[in-house]
Amino acid sequence: MTKSKIGRLLSAGSHPAVATAATGGPAADYQWFFRAMATPCEVRLECADPAIAGAAARAAEAEARRIEAKFSRYLATSVIGRINANSGNETEVDSETAHLLDFASRLFALSDGLFDITSGVLRKIWRFDGSDRVPSPDRVQELLPLVGWQNVSWKPPILKLPAGTEIDLGGLGKEYAVDRALHRIGEITAQPALVNFGGDLRVSGPRANGCSWKVAIESVDRAGQAEGLLEISEGALATSGDARRFLLKDGIRYGHILDPRTGWPVVDPPRSVTVAAQTCVEAGMIATLAILQGRNAEAFLKQEQVRAWCIR
Amino acid sequence: MQLNSGNGACLRQTLATLSLGLLSATLGEKTDRAYAQAQSQPDSPSGNSGQLIPTSKELDSSILFYQEANGRVRAIEPALQYTAHGPDSQTFNLGVIADSVTGATPNGAVPSDHTQTFVTPLKAPGGSSTTVTSASGGSTVIHLPPTPGQIAAAALGRQYTTPPGQLPVDRGFHDQRYGVNVGYSQPLGEISLVGFGGSYSIEHDYQSISASANIAQNFNLNNTTASLAVNYENDSSFPYGGVPTPLTVMTPQLKSVSSRGRSRIDIVAGLTEAMTTNWLVQLNYSYGISDGYQNDPYLIVSVVDPVTGEPNVYLYENRPTSRRLQSIYLDSKVDFGPSVTDVSFRYFMDSWGIKSTTVQVSDRVRLMGSLYVEPEIRWYQQSAANFFHNFLVTGQPLPQYASADSRLGQFVGLTYGMKLGFDLTRSTEIYLRGEFYRQTGNGHPADAIGQLKQQNLFAGVDAAYGMIGFSWNFD
């Protein structure tokens, strides 16, 4: 910025006695990007003050990182890492973990065992890398005894997994992080905000101009290509299914959604299901349950009277 | 495949209740410090931390009106600034500024109880007398007695007088300046931000060109930013009538040296820390080296009679050619929700003996959805340069350096200001800013002699300025 001549007129101590151009325009649309939970994350804020926008975005990022550090199954230091390492024995968990386990337990019951946080162990044999490496039925049978929340002893706050069983909150954590992060932003500023962690998102409300937020949704065929724009002015959107994760053998496409009861991919699920709901956790759970219905996904969504978009 | 949900949207409602229950139950609790801190571990699986970028472009236009009390300097300064942000945190800015300064400016001489007459070179570009009519800004064109070896066309001068008891000012002060600045910054590899910039400005008798480079690194999850900036500036002064020889008697004759230059390097190291989510603290240290011609070529110092205090002669001022400048700046910005309070402190010292302290407090309050006010108060205090003299005394040894520039003297400056901003639409804002500035200093120093004891020797200013601006954000 070119210095003001008037500043020079007033003192010799290089002091800007007269401030030059004022800062702080109208509410700017700030975007904050980072990577957490193995996915690109985005926070958008309509806030005139960059300091506040930055503080709010940092708080959202910190919340995402906290949840990742606490619940990632890939981290031995996480609560989940400790629980899994301690399978066969009792582990006492903290209150937040207990609430999440309660939630997962209720969902297991509601879904007749379709939603099962112990199913992650099946990924050891199912690698959805676009190849044709479909595991043998024997291998699936070998692992199946390790799967099943019904075998887990959960007497809050004490959790005891059967030896060899592992839990994974991956189907829940990202959505939970979105809701929590938005709440953190709300503690700092009431300005309109959007939190989008890898396509699961929630907004604080409409934008400052009363319009809805426009969110690009990804094409199922060409990674990174925007399929179209979704508009959202309240609540949350969550997507289940991932076009890039599948196996293809003998003309059969094996999606990455596994039925924990059989150990095999769900038959003919939509490639992705996007659901609108009040919270991101709710949207995510409906989307997951829908895709677990396989070819009945659309019927399920219709029955539940959910605003949803399926891509097959 | 069936679910235990029964009919019609029942499962959805159960899920909604469960989800809200989960969130409200966990939000009521404190988050685990252990995990909140685990995020900052460098071996965290996702080391990419966030970056804040405004997605819009911004055009900011403003015009500033400045007026000093007692009919002294008046300035008008329009400015236009364009800023564009790229998708990967690139920032480009381009600004143009112009200013027009007119009015009376103190020439450095002390008041007297007699009329004082000052004769200086003509402000005629190229020395041509045809561009000068007769009187201009309270001064008169005079024919000088022929000087041996000087051509006749140059034998013109400009004369102005100061009535008894008044501060001598040169009313012929008139300046127009045009400036342009450009800057670009972006992240580069592991470095959070690398930037370059440059600026150029030109006046009738002054030119300034500068280049700058800066780097910034975020760490500690973007809570801390360290920055380093270097600015190089090269200025040329080519005063009307040429560059006077320092500490020689003021004359209307053209000087043989037409221009002198100065170069300056400033290094600024900064640290910005987000102390909490709504408290930002910034600390800057700057060091500057300025070498070359630092004089104001138009300023003079009165040499007074040791008994009566009457001016005998006026000498052109002289300042050291070298100057080292240091400052420390501490700023704290707290967001209290409805208002943002900014408190800053600055301490400055240089090799000329000037020490200054600035304390500034401002508070931005949003009154209604689209209106905010920002009252501000600033206190500034500076000690005098060690070569500052209100006057010199006949018969005493001539110091090596001497200046009577009030900006190098001791004074206190107090500013009251108010900014008012109004969002016309979501993407446009109009803002108004007004400030009153008052300098106070000692007009009756203990060493005043004779008639000077009755005069106010302090030449500081009272000033007011207003600014109106319009900014427009667009995609």
Side-chain angles (χ1 to χ4, degrees), chain B residues 219-234:
Chain B
F219 48 92
N220 186 21
L221 284 166
N222 281 350
N223 284 323
T224 309
T225 303
S227 63
L228 191 68
V230 180
N231 189 72
Y232 175 78
E233 183 180 319
N234 195 295

Side-chain angles (χ1 to χ4, degrees), chain A residues 118-130:
Chain A
T118 64
S119 64
V121 70
L122 292 168
R123 296 212 189 91
K124 286 179 181 166
I125 51 170
W126 287 98
R127 294 193 186 279
F128 298 97
D129 51 7

Side-chain angles (χ1 to χ4, degrees), chain B residues 135-354:
Chain B
S136 159
S139 49
T140 334
V141 177
I142 56 158
H143 288 267
L144 304 173
T147 311
Q150 196 116 50
I151 55 167
L156 289 170
R158 186 170 60 89
Q159 177 179 297
Y160 60 95
T161 56
T162 299
Q166 289 192 15
L167 183 75
V169 291
D170 184 349
R171 298 187 186 281
F173 187 52
H174 183 83
D175 232 342
Q176 273 166 326
R177 188 181 65 129
Y178 303 94
V180 60
N181 66 80
V182 63
Y184 178 79
S185 66
Q186 66 160 67
L188 188 70
E190 296 296 303
I191 306 168
S192 306
L193 208 63
V194 175
F196 300 94
S199 74
Y200 177 77
S201 78
I202 180 87
E203 298 164 50
H204 290 132
D205 56 356
Y206 203 79
Q207 174 189 273
S208 174
I209 186 162
S210 80
S212 66
N214 60 80
I215 59 169
Q217 184 66 50
N218 299 333
F219 48 92
N220 186 21
L221 284 166
N222 281 350
N223 284 323
T224 309
T225 303
S227 63
L228 191 68
V230 180
N231 189 72
Y232 175 78
E233 183 180 319
N234 195 295
D235 298 345
S236 299
S237 179
F238 28 93
Y240 298 105
V243 180
T245 307
L247 300 179
T248 60
V249 175
M250 179 191 200
T251 71
Q253 265 74 36
L254 297 181
K255 317 298 189 278
S256 57
V257 178
S258 62
S259 77
R260 292 289 303 273
R262 173 178 68 166
S263 62
R264 177 167 170 172
I265 290 178
D266 284 281
I267 297 170
V268 183
L271 200 62
T272 306
E273 176 78 30
M275 308 293 281
T276 70
T277 49
N278 45 13
W279 183 24
L280 270 183
V281 173
Q282 186 184 353
L283 179 69
N284 281 0
Y285 170 77
S286 78
Y287 187 82
I289 300 172
S290 180
D291 282 316
Y293 186 69
Q294 323 254 5
N295 296 354
D296 183 324
Y298 307 118
L299 285 188
I300 51 177
V301 186
S302 305
V303 183
V304 304
D305 184 275
V307 178
T308 65
E310 292 292 347
N312 287 333
V313 72
Y314 309 104
L315 301 183
Y316 287 110
E317 69 157 35
N318 191 29
R319 308 179 186 191
T321 53
S322 165
R323 190 182 187 189
R324 302 286 178 271
L325 315 94
Q326 291 185 81
S327 73
I328 286 178
Y329 173 81
L330 184 64
D331 180 57
S332 162
K333 194 179 272 203
V334 186
D335 173 22
F336 289 108
S339 71
V340 180
T341 302
D342 195 335
V343 179
S344 71
F345 171 85
R346 182 174 179 270
Y347 183 77
F348 165 89
M349 62 188 289
D350 71 4
S351 59
W352 290 357
I354 296 175

Side-chain angles (χ1 to χ4, degrees), chain B residues 80-92:
Chain B
L80 198 62
Q81 186 81 21
Y82 169 78
T83 309
H85 300 274
D88 299 314
S89 299
Q90 304 99 327
T91 303
F92 170 78

Side-chain angles (χ1 to χ4, degrees), chain B residues 393-475:
Chain B
V393 181
T394 304
Q396 291 187 1
L398 195 62
Q400 191 182 2
Y401 305 109
S403 173
D405 187 344
S406 68
R407 293 166 295 186
L408 298 177
Q410 180 182 330
F411 69 88
V412 172
L414 200 55
T415 309
Y416 307 90
M418 173 77 90
K419 185 185 171 191
L420 199 138
F422 184 74
D423 298 339
L424 294 173
T425 68
R426 210 196 75 69
S427 59
T428 52
E429 187 204 359
I430 192 160
Y431 55 90
L432 298 161
R433 187 174 197 132
E435 283 195 1
F436 290 98
Y437 177 66
R438 185 178 184 93
Q439 278 184 1
T440 48
N442 184 6
H444 301 281
D447 61 351
I449 299 167
Q451 62 95 18
L452 292 175
K453 289 177 180 165
Q454 276 74 54
Q455 310 288 359
N456 180 5
L457 302 187
F458 180 64
V461 297
D462 292 349
Y465 93 89
M467 179 191 229
I468 181 163
F470 179 79
S471 72
W472 178 38
N473 276 29
F474 52 101
D475 291 325

